[in-house]
Amino acid sequence: MERRNGTLFFSAGDLCIFAESPFASWMDRWYTEIAKGAPSTLMYAGEPYDSVAPDPQDAEMILLANKGVDHERAFLERLRDESKTVADLSGNRDVWVTVRAMESGADVIYQPYLESPPFFGYADFLIRRPGGGEPRYEVCDAKLARSIKPIFPLQLSLYSEMLAALQGEVPKHFHIALGSDETESFRTDAFLYLYRAVRRRFLEFQESFDPCSPPRPEDSAAYGRWAGTAERILERTDSLSLVANITRSQRKKLEQSGVFTMKELAESETETVRGVPAAIFERLREQAALQIASRARAQPEYRLIQDEPAASLLPPSDPGDVFFDIEGYPLADGGLEYLWGAVGLDISAPSESKSPTFFDWWAHDGKGEREAFRQFITWVVERRARHPQMRVYHYAPYETTAIKRLAAKYGTMEDEVDDLLREGVFVDLYRVVKRSLMVGTAAYSLKDVERLFREQRSGKVATGGASVVAYHDWIVSGEPADWQNSPLLKRIRDYNEEDCYSTWELVLWLRSHLKPCEAPAPEGVSSVEEKWAPNEKVLKRRERRQNLPDALMNMGGDEKGRAAAQLLGGLAGYHWREAKPVFWKKYDRLERSDAELADDPDCLGMLESAGEPRQEKKSLVYSYKFPPGQETKIEKGSRCFVNTNPPQSVTVHSLDTEKGLAELKLSAARDPLPALLSLIPDEYVSADIIEDSLHRTAQRWVDGASPGGALCDLLNASAPRLAGGRTFLYRPDEGMNGILNLARDLADSVLALQGPPGSGKTYTASRIIADLAASRKKIGVTANSHRAIINLMAAVVEAMDERGMSVRVVKAGAEDREPLVATG
């Protein structure tokens, strides 16, 4: 922000900062106008805070900023390589220079200055829209991130509005060049209402700026470059936001009940707070008390939670156990998991000499990453063959998230990973700690928890962020790629090794403090394995997914036939790959506590029986009560899993979140529901029938019966075949009648309609369907979303109205699970 002739102007960055953090937005203005850009005293709630200034940029932030500039320049060079004419306006601060560059008709305008008071900014690029006439441009920004963040459309909407002031119309689209080398495009009008609402709130916020009344830090989701100042304020005000694991909604509910500080929470004598389950409230109260008692102590206070037997939290010790940690470099193209470290007994050594050993696998490019991933999973599988009860312990979900992503990315070790995940081989110690332990620290990271059993770490690489910087330093250093001859890689390896040993020490400490396991699982078979063991039908599908792609990829024949076979081979297993994240999420949720599920807005937690079930036809309806006001996306009619062992599938018969009442419907032939339970949404939509049909087609081809007719034309991308052997020829001058005639005359073939959004695909398809329906034909419609099907159905009804006819339209599988029937 800056003042010009007494008027305050705001950059696009100022708006984005406000959207994420009103506190940081206020601090920026205070620092600019009141402190005049120098450390100064800030008054907050009547208390002075001396030498207040923005946080200095750390090495990781500087690295990210530099990588962002590199990405932007690389995108510029790519545009130049495409023979685009570029007007480079770097350093320009005159909006008329931008206007003249637009009038010149350059394909790309780099670093254009845009202005529409009270806003100004520099877009990365203006891209000229194709077509003749007066040049029209759309905004494009280069972002290092690999996925769209909510703040990006806000910034691009502001640029688009400022651009509209120069060219007389709002551009239809804006574009974001991501760090994944993908450029995504969005309709501007899809975001304008949201942008204008944020813009209005921002200007109202600035209009009411009071240098003596900063907003509360805890009401912002982030603090930007003012994190240090926010932390000082929160500590001095004893803010509830410092309580470990407290959610924003829980804090607000506590404040509504009159509890505003950690001390007030720790000393509170109330039993309940509306919207916060009693068990969660008690845990927050004790957490606050532990943190207060742990202040200025090297080793924090802690309390063991023995509500559950240790066996349900921590598996028995096994000689094959592994303690695992990954180091990743997110700034590489597509990301890079470059170091896979693990501590475990060297099971190949003689029994008397077995001791914890550090194992490591390195990768410095995509090929190396695939091989390191493959080698690690193979190593785990081989250890498990010798020690069936072994587990892979890690802290927090980064490791399993990376493993799932790489299995999908490289299409290798997929079944092995599925087995390890399904059978509970990976044990997240963060979850174990949260369910078995309360520690007087403001966070529950491994670095915080390890203060219970080891001294504070030292060394040049002591955090995950520092390892990212150290790996970047290695990339530009020219040092060798093996850690034995690279001091930088050696430091990273030492850090990773220490993380692995710390994970191992944590397990030892937990086992020495938790209740002993009552009885180990039978040798060779764990309770988790029995719970998730695949049945015969699942194993048969798995075998087909494994064998059919290779068989089809290696088929002979002409080039066109081989390409079609390979295309079909790529589809074998597609539906399962798409469904995996749903199952992984289900397994993950089934391992969570009731309190954790109560905090998950997709679930419903901590239900308690409210009476005996009643009979309803062949089902039983169970009544439950739960803490009122719980946020959940589950609703009446939802299909859910109950977190029992094994999980049971139920239907939500009725639900009242305000009163905290639910009824669950279950077949009377099933095991009765427990008195205490939580609900997990059943998000899986089975594609088994489709997959089985695809597998049958593929198997027939492998057996020598290649597909024919429409399927053959689809796989070969052949031109449509018409009745009587006529040649397919579409004449645009014949309009819709020409398309309808071609659709009528198809001879067991395929007619493809292609085009960008808004080009008339839905309109044309609906008119074809209406024409065929008028000939009393039955038409099936399928798509990747319910919305696409419903939109087409509505267009079909409209098309039939044009003909003065009616047709029965049935939608099966809608979100409410009931068929949708309409008559045009």
Side-chain angles (χ1 to χ4, degrees), residues 143 145 147-157 174 176 178:
K143 301 295 185 184
S147 60
I148 301 298
K149 297 182 179 179
I151 205 70
F152 297 165
L154 178 66
Q155 181 181 9
L156 274 290
S157 294
F174 57 77
I176 301 175
L178 294 167

Side-chain angles (χ1 to χ4, degrees), residues 154-282:
L154 178 66
Q155 181 181 9
L156 274 290
S157 294
L158 173 56
Y159 286 149
S160 296
E161 190 171 70
M162 290 193 287
L163 176 59
L166 302 184
Q167 66 181 17
E169 65 179 46
V170 176
K172 291 183 178 179
H173 300 88
F174 57 77
H175 315 275
I176 301 175
L178 294 167
S180 60
D181 288 336
E182 297 175 311
T183 300
E184 296 196 22
S185 301
F186 301 88
R187 290 186 63 88
T188 309
D189 58 12
F191 296 93
L192 280 179
Y193 290 107
L194 174 62
Y195 150 69
R196 286 170 179 162
V198 175
R199 181 183 187 272
R200 182 178 64 254
R201 288 194 291 109
F202 171 74
L203 293 176
E204 290 171 352
F205 179 81
Q206 295 297 340
E207 184 68 26
S208 62
F209 174 77
D210 181 351
C212 298
S213 182
R216 300 196 317 161
E218 52 262 66
D219 291 334
S220 293
Y223 308 123
R225 62 179 185 156
W226 296 100
T229 300
E231 185 177 341
R232 290 166 62 190
I233 291 173
L234 294 174
E235 288 179 350
R236 193 180 296 186
T237 58
D238 198 30
S239 171
L240 285 174
S241 64
L242 296 178
V243 179
N245 302 317
I246 194 171
T247 67
R248 195 173 182 182
S249 64
Q250 290 166 355
R251 178 178 57 78
K252 288 186 175 181
K253 289 168 184 174
L254 288 172
E255 290 176 347
Q256 289 169 1
S257 73
V259 178
F260 291 92
T261 68
M262 287 179 62
K263 186 173 187 293
E264 289 172 349
L265 174 59
E267 297 176 354
S268 173
E269 296 182 358
T270 186
E271 295 298 326
T272 59
V273 169
R274 178 170 173 78
V276 181
I280 294 178
F281 175 71
E282 177 56 35

Side-chain angles (χ1 to χ4, degrees), residues 53 165 268 279 292 313 436 488 507 527 573 589 609 617 634 649 674 726:
S268 173
I292 291 172
L313 299 174
S436 65
L488 284 168
V507 171
S527 58
R589 284 172 168 162
S609 177
K617 297 181 180 179
I634 289 174
S649 181
R726 292 183 293 111

Side-chain angles (χ1 to χ4, degrees), residues 482-683:
D482 63 292
W483 63 269
Q484 293 96 332
N485 296 305
S486 167
L488 284 168
L489 294 184
K490 174 65 166 59
R491 287 206 295 267
I492 296 172
R493 185 182 187 272
D494 290 345
Y495 165 73
N496 181 266
E497 182 176 1
E498 190 168 13
D499 259 358
C500 293
Y501 273 105
S502 179
T503 305
W504 172 56
E505 291 169 19
L506 172 59
V507 171
L508 295 178
W509 189 92
L510 287 170
R511 287 207 173 103
S512 69
H513 287 73
L514 296 180
K515 287 180 182 178
C517 299
E518 296 184 7
E523 184 65 27
V525 182
S526 73
S527 58
V528 177
E529 289 168 341
E530 292 172 347
K531 178 178 174 181
W532 298 114
N535 59 38
E536 185 177 348
K537 189 176 290 187
V538 170
L539 291 172
K540 189 172 183 179
R541 285 199 183 96
R542 176 185 292 185
E543 182 181 357
R544 287 174 173 174
R545 294 185 199 115
Q546 289 176 331
N547 298 335
L548 285 174
D550 289 340
L552 288 165
M553 295 292 179
N554 297 323
M555 289 189 67
D558 59 26
E559 184 176 349
K560 194 171 185 180
R562 288 197 306 273
Q566 290 171 3
L567 176 60
L568 187 59
L571 291 174
Y574 163 81
H575 297 90
W576 173 236
R577 289 193 296 272
E578 289 295 296
K580 281 181 182 179
V582 176
F583 283 102
W584 290 338
K585 187 185 293 185
K586 169 188 168 183
Y587 301 148
D588 176 72
R589 284 172 168 162
L590 285 169
E591 298 300 323
R592 295 185 189 180
S593 67
D594 291 306
E596 289 173 319
L597 293 174
D599 279 340
D600 186 336
D602 289 324
C603 303
L604 187 65
M606 307 184 75
L607 282 74
E608 183 179 350
S609 177
E612 293 298 316
R614 70 175 187 273
Q615 189 85 27
E616 190 169 294
K617 297 181 180 179
K618 295 183 179 180
S619 299
L620 291 176
V621 177
Y622 292 77
S623 297
Y624 285 87
K625 59 183 180 180
F626 58 90
Q630 190 176 147
E631 182 182 358
T632 181
K633 294 178 183 177
I634 289 174
E635 55 189 21
K636 178 182 177 180
S638 294
R639 292 184 307 186
C640 298
F641 290 107
V642 175
N643 60 339
T644 52
N645 185 5
Q648 296 201 67
S649 181
V650 300
T651 301
V652 178
H653 190 62
S654 68
L655 182 65
D656 188 332
T657 54
E658 286 300 312
K659 295 181 179 178
L661 299 174
E663 290 183 320
L664 308 179
K665 194 172 184 179
L666 177 71
S667 169
R670 303 290 299 276
D671 291 338
L673 294 178
L676 297 172
L677 57 82
S678 294
L679 298 179
I680 296 164
D682 180 0
E683 299 170 325

Side-chain angles (χ1 to χ4, degrees), residues 318-340:
D318 187 272
D321 285 343
V322 168
F323 306 90
F324 174 44
D325 185 60
I326 293 178
E327 302 300 327
Y329 183 65
L331 303 182
D333 291 341
L336 180 69
E337 310 303 338
Y338 66 89
L339 172 55
W340 301 62

Side-chain angles (χ1 to χ4, degrees), residues 652-793:
V652 178
H653 190 62
S654 68
L655 182 65
D656 188 332
T657 54
E658 286 300 312
K659 295 181 179 178
L661 299 174
E663 290 183 320
L664 308 179
K665 194 172 184 179
L666 177 71
S667 169
R670 303 290 299 276
D671 291 338
L673 294 178
L676 297 172
L677 57 82
S678 294
L679 298 179
I680 296 164
D682 180 0
E683 299 170 325
Y684 175 59
V685 178
S686 174
D688 289 350
I689 294 176
I690 301 173
E691 187 177 39
D692 289 345
S693 175
L694 188 150
H695 286 167
R696 286 194 298 270
T697 300
Q699 188 62 56
R700 284 196 297 267
W701 199 346
V702 171
D703 294 340
S706 59
L711 178 57
C712 182
D713 289 350
L714 178 64
L715 291 172
N716 288 318
S718 301
R721 290 177 291 106
L722 303 180
R726 292 183 293 111
T727 302
F728 173 81
L729 181 63
Y730 169 59
R731 299 180 184 277
D733 58 319
E734 294 180 357
M736 184 58 67
N737 285 334
I739 296 176
L740 296 180
N741 288 333
L742 291 171
R744 290 190 206 110
D745 292 345
L746 282 176
D748 191 15
S749 190
V750 176
L751 175 64
L753 302 175
Q754 294 178 292
S759 60
K761 296 188 298 298
T762 300
Y763 178 88
T764 303
S766 66
R767 271 57 191 176
I768 291 174
I769 292 172
D771 184 68
L772 296 173
S775 301
R776 306 188 68 81
K777 296 185 181 295
K778 292 182 179 179
I779 299 98
V781 177
T782 184
N784 286 332
S785 71
H786 291 297
R787 184 180 296 275
I789 295 175
I790 292 172
N791 287 344
L792 179 58
M793 288 168 54

